[in-house]
Amino acid sequence: MKEGLIKRISRIISASANALVDSVENATPQLVMEQAIREIDDAIAEVRDQLGKAEAAKYLSSKALNDENARHATLSEQIEVAVQQGRDDLAEAAIAKQMDIEAQIPVLEKAIAESDREISELSSYISALQGKKREMREQLRDFTKASEHVSNGTTAEQTGSSRTTANKVEQASGAFNRILENAGVPTSESSADASKLAELEELSRSNRIKERLAKIKTQAEV
């Protein structure tokens, strides 16, 4: 994976919402966090693109390895026939081809192993980015709720200001939902199917959490 992308992912993962907001002057916190979420989405898309390339490379290497192994086995059968027929010349030619195949097999196996390692690394980056995105979404929701609470608690003299704040919060929430929907993340306004997929993803994550807890408990009892 490109070194620039690795640095970018590391920066995204290590950044905090407060630091992001403090680093940008004359910008509302909602807009700053929305921009951060967009950057996470862009990074996820880029990593997925790299993951697709790695999986394609593994497929091609695996196919080539299977083909070469099949050719090697076929040549073994042909060598036996040639020997039985007293055709040493044909047997030698087939053996020479087998030796070429045997030289290529370790290279293909190494390529597959490297693809596996890259796939595992890229998958871990995607999981980390998705976790960071969930964190940013929660922080944005918390800030939006806090903004609504402040606007609802204003006095009559502050009604005009309250409406302005509420409108900003509403606009930020709407933009946030559009960002999530464009990225394929279900929101309250998404379809029923999207909601079910979101529920399934959360259920799967919850099961992984329980499995890890059970494993920790088992290790503690040993």
Side-chain angles (χ1 to χ4, degrees):
M1 188 167 60
K2 298 179 181 178
E3 184 177 355
L5 180 57
I6 295 177
K7 290 182 178 179
R8 180 182 170 196
I9 292 172
S10 299
R11 176 177 57 78
I12 291 174
I13 298 301
S14 61
S16 68
N18 290 334
L20 289 172
V21 171
D22 292 341
S23 65
V24 181
E25 296 181 357
N26 301 322
T28 62
Q30 293 100 323
L31 295 178
V32 175
M33 284 187 275
E34 287 166 13
Q35 178 59 40
I37 292 171
R38 281 196 295 270
E39 185 174 358
I40 294 174
D41 286 334
D42 291 342
I44 290 175
E46 193 168 347
V47 176
R48 286 193 186 282
D49 181 63
Q50 294 294 322
L51 179 60
K53 292 177 181 179
E55 290 175 339
K58 179 184 176 181
Y59 170 79
L60 293 175
S61 297
S62 298
K63 185 177 183 302
L65 178 61
N66 291 335
D67 291 344
E68 293 303 316
N69 282 328
R71 287 179 60 199
H72 193 281
T74 299
L75 287 168
S76 294
E77 296 175 356
Q78 293 173 346
I79 290 170
E80 291 181 4
V81 174
V83 171
Q84 292 172 2
Q85 298 296 323
R87 296 295 305 272
D88 288 355
D89 58 327
L90 297 179
E92 289 177 357
I95 290 172
K97 178 58 67 175
Q98 277 190 325
M99 292 174 66
D100 289 340
I101 293 174
E102 290 165 1
Q104 296 175 37
I105 286 177
V107 177
L108 292 171
E109 290 176 338
K110 182 179 179 181
I112 293 171
E114 289 176 350
S115 294
D116 278 333
R117 183 167 56 253
E118 185 176 5
I119 289 170
S120 177
E121 181 183 14
L122 291 169
S123 298
S124 68
Y125 279 126
I126 290 175
S127 296
L129 287 168
Q130 289 174 334
K132 187 65 177 182
K133 184 175 179 177
R134 283 191 292 268
E135 176 186 319
M136 293 298 296
R137 287 172 61 191
E138 291 173 359
Q139 290 171 336
L140 180 55
R141 290 195 188 98
D142 290 343
F143 187 88
T144 301
K145 289 179 180 178
S147 298
E148 291 174 346
H149 178 73
V150 170
S151 65
N152 291 334
T154 55
T155 62
E157 289 78 6
Q158 297 172 312
T159 300
S161 176
S162 174
R163 288 178 179 174
T164 301
T165 303
N167 289 337
K168 289 182 178 179
V169 171
E170 183 178 355
Q171 291 173 0
S173 298
F176 180 58
N177 285 335
R178 287 194 297 273
I179 292 168
L180 296 183
E181 288 175 352
N182 291 335
V185 180
T187 66
S188 58
E189 299 174 357
S190 301
S191 64
D193 289 340
S195 298
K196 290 179 180 178
L197 290 176
E199 183 179 357
L200 181 60
E201 179 183 355
E202 186 61 30
L203 179 61
S204 176
R205 185 166 180 266
S206 177
N207 286 338
R208 292 198 301 271
I209 293 172
K210 291 179 180 178
E211 289 174 358
R212 182 177 297 188
L213 177 59
K215 182 178 180 180
I216 293 173
K217 289 182 177 179
T218 301
Q219 293 173 343
E221 293 174 354
V222 175

